[in-house]
Amino acid sequence: MDQENSTQTNFNQTPFNQKTSLLKEIDFYLVTDSGLSKKGTLSDVKEAVEAGCKIVQYREKNKSTKEMVDEASEIKRICGERAIFLVNDRIDVALAVDADGVHIGQDDMQIETARKLLGSDKIIGLTVHNVEEAIEAEKSSADYLGLGSIFDTSTKKDAGKGIGPARIREVKNAIKIPIAAIGGINKENCKIVVENGADSLVAISAVVCSDDVKRETEYFIDIIQKMKNRSV
């Protein structure tokens, strides 16, 4: 009986192990934005995942909870086992659709509280801006960090002035968990972001404002992988 229970437990944990292992492989990180998207959030997610994107964050500020749950359910289906699916801020929505986890900011729910609500088998990402916040986030059980805003950006109104790509290296040297760089990143400056140690990057406008999300996602994935291979 004990052996059966052990087998069942391992089986139930397999999807989580697969998803957390993807954190080590992330390159381009899709963050949705229905206000900027040309083809709609679901289309953006579908094209990005088809292009090989391994992590998707559903960020939605303008829809009702019901609409968000419905849309999040469909995004989860699209991501399947191919991509990590996270919900921005809204832990209730993440719980409702059994997302892989959440991404929260410094002014959102305490990460310790989020962990209690979500459980140990979910991924939690936390936005940080400096080394001190990064170290504290790692101590508080964050699975990865969203670092930014790297450059000045108009996509997120409260992002503040860009901290610069050199900050990525400072944070990278202080922690062990993955870093996803965000804020003002585009084709012209993405290389320096990876050169400074980012494991992944977000380029919202450069991707969701385009006519071909799949093509743009493939471009960033290719650039990131080439830069990483060059540094090995």
Side-chain angles (χ1 to χ4, degrees), residues 9 24 57 83 97 100 140 158 189 227:
T9 299
K24 300 175 182 177
Q57 181 190 140
V97 302
D100 297 311
S140 300
D158 60 349
N189 59 32
M227 295 297 295

Side-chain angles (χ1 to χ4, degrees), residues 84-227:
I84 296 166
F85 170 45
L86 308 176
V87 177
N88 177 264
D89 294 351
R90 295 290 299 273
I91 292 174
D92 58 333
V93 174
L95 287 168
V97 302
D98 192 27
D100 297 311
V102 296
H103 185 91
I104 53 180
Q106 290 290 321
D107 296 326
D108 296 322
M109 183 182 293
Q110 289 283 340
I111 191 170
E112 294 85 357
T113 305
R115 180 64 73 193
K116 287 179 183 178
L117 291 170
L118 291 166
S120 61
D121 63 338
K122 294 295 182 181
I123 295 169
I124 298 181
L126 182 67
T127 296
V128 301
H129 312 91
N130 52 53
V131 171
E132 292 74 22
E133 289 179 355
I135 292 172
E136 183 59 33
E138 186 174 47
K139 288 180 180 177
S140 300
S141 83
D143 296 293
Y144 77 92
L145 304 179
L147 178 64
S149 176
I150 304 302
F151 305 103
D152 294 348
T153 178
S154 59
T155 302
K156 198 169 186 289
K157 293 181 173 60
D158 60 349
K161 187 172 176 58
I163 60 177
R167 184 68 56 81
I168 303 170
R169 179 60 59 189
E170 295 174 9
V171 172
K172 184 74 173 178
N173 290 336
I175 62 165
K176 295 180 180 179
I177 56 178
I179 297 172
I182 186 171
I185 300 172
N186 53 42
K187 289 181 177 180
E188 286 68 43
N189 59 32
C190 64
K191 290 184 179 180
I192 194 171
V193 169
V194 182
E195 285 174 347
N196 276 277
D199 299 284
S200 178
L201 63 81
V202 178
I204 300 174
S205 298
V207 173
V208 304
C209 291
S210 73
D211 293 316
D212 193 332
V213 169
K214 184 177 181 181
R215 180 193 65 210
E216 298 305 313
T217 301
E218 288 173 340
Y219 173 86
F220 280 106
I221 290 174
D222 183 58
I223 288 293
I224 297 166
Q225 290 182 348
K226 284 180 178 177
M227 295 297 295

Side-chain angles (χ1 to χ4, degrees), residues 11-29:
F11 175 79
N12 288 337
Q13 289 176 348
T14 298
F16 172 69
N17 291 336
Q18 290 173 346
K19 287 297 178 74
T20 51
S21 68
L22 279 180
L23 277 177
K24 300 175 182 177
E25 303 174 17
I26 56 174
D27 31 55
F28 180 73
Y29 184 154

